[in-house]
């Protein structure tokens, strides 16, 4: 999990939800993993990170 979080933050794309996401290399790109940054305690703290269920994302 730590590796996925690091990859998303350092080489992922901003996801518009205050974090970063990684995507498949297919066309169209499908989001695989999402992080959300920012908590009441700090703007740069990791709030959550999770695998995106592609079948649910397309509904």
């Amino acid at each position: 999990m730590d590796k996925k979080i690091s990859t998303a933050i350092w080489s992922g794309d901003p996801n518009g939800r205050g974090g970063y996401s990684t995507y498949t290399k297919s066309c169209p790109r499908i989001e695989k993993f999402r992080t959300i940054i920012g908590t009441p305690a700090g703007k740069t703290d990791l709030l959550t990170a999770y695998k995106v269920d592609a079948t649910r994302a397309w509904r």
Side-chain angles (χ1 to χ4, degrees), residues 7-58:
T7 300
I9 292 172
W10 293 108
S11 63
D13 295 326
N15 60 25
R17 293 177 176 88
Y20 299 91
S21 296
T22 56
Y23 297 85
T24 62
K25 295 183 187 219
S26 64
C27 185
R29 294 178 358 149
I30 299 170
E31 188 176 20
K32 296 188 306 183
F33 189 80
R34 179 182 300 161
T35 62
I36 298 177
I37 310 285
T39 67
K43 286 183 153 183
T44 59
D45 292 344
L46 180 68
L47 177 62
T48 190
Y50 54 93
K51 180 180 175 190
V52 176
D53 182 356
T55 57
R56 292 190 184 271
W58 286 99

